[in-house]
């Protein structure tokens, strides 16, 4: 069965510092991978998705970037964090239209 | 206007009550998902629907494609059902991206 690992689980970073959140998946090959963010008091929003190694699509203009260096690895990065980057970040994978799996999430607080 | 609208935003009920959460969408979809988010943030997928009705234990989900509407029902509600319930849709472009509703916060009082 598919498993998604995310780390770290929680992170507190100062404004202007860099960010790297990692997501790795097991139990599947060539999945579609997604980064979602849930800002405080708001719904989930798609940030990036990837259909394969090196293939990244961005859904919203922002301070963040994503990379997929390996089939089962998806990384979310920022060079300089903003206060507005605070939120709950979820990695997800889809192996078909009817199957979506979510990681445990990373709670990021930017101070 | 959001592509996915949920109602109510907040719902408080007594244990044992029948619960209904509604979801309306305005785009063409290939599937609709009901998700449960626990206080720590973790998300569990409850149902995926493309037509009709599904049942799992005390949870029932229905969808009306013509009316672009789905409902999630909980029978014999229990305090452990307290969570945020999120409706999400995948569009029909084949990339399985999810567009989410803002969620319904359900609190079941013992």
């Amino acid at each position: 069965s598919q498993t998604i690992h995310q780390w770290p689980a929680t992170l507190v970073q100062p404004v202007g510092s860099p960010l790297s959140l990692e997501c790795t998946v097991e139990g599947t090959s060539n999945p579609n991978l997604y980064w979602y963010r849930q800002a405080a008091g708001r719904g989930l929003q798609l940030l990036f998705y990837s259909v394969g190694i090196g293939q990244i699509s961005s859904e919203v203009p922002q301070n963040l970037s994503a990379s997929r260096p390996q089939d089962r690895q998806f990384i979310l990065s920022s060079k300089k964090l903003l206060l507005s980057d605070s939120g709950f970040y979820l990695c997800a994978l889809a192996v078909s239209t009817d199957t979506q799996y979510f990681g445990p999430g990373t709670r990021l607080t930017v101070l | 206007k959001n592509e996915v609208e949920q109602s109510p935003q907040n719902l408080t009920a007594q244990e044992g009550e029948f619960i209904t959460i509604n979801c309306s969408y305005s785009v063409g979809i290939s599937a609709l998902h009901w998700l449960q988010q626990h206080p720590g943030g973790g998300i569990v997928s409850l149902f995926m629907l493309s037509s009709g009705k599904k049942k799992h234990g005390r949870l029932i989900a229905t969808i009306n494609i013509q009316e672009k509407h789905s409902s999630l029902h909980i029978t014999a509600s229990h305090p452990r059902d307290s969570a945020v319930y999120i409706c999400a849709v995948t569009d029909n472009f084949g990339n399985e991206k999810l567009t989410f509703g803002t969620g319904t916060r359900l609190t079941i009082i013992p």
Side-chain angles (χ1 to χ4, degrees), chain A residues 32 34 36 38 43-46 49 59 88 90 94 96-98 100 102 104 107, chain B residues 30-31 33 35 37 40-43 45 48 86 90 95-98 100-102:
Chain A
N32 285 6
Y34 309 85
Y36 295 98
Q38 186 177 43
L44 283 154
Q45 182 184 37
L46 177 65
Y49 73 97
E59 287 295 298
F88 186 68
L90 273 171
S96 66
T97 300
D98 61 354
Q100 295 259 355
F102 294 89
R107 189 164 300 282
Chain B
S30 58
H33 303 254
L35 312 171
Q37 185 172 30
I43 287 184
S45 180
M48 189 286 301
I86 302 171
T90 47
N95 51 32
E96 287 84 55
K97 296 185 294 180
L98 289 172
F100 298 87
T102 53

Side-chain angles (χ1 to χ4, degrees), chain B residues 82-103:
Chain B
S82 298
V84 175
Y85 292 84
I86 302 171
C87 171
V89 300
T90 47
D91 60 32
N92 47 15
F93 296 120
N95 51 32
E96 287 84 55
K97 296 185 294 180
L98 289 172
T99 301
F100 298 87
T102 53

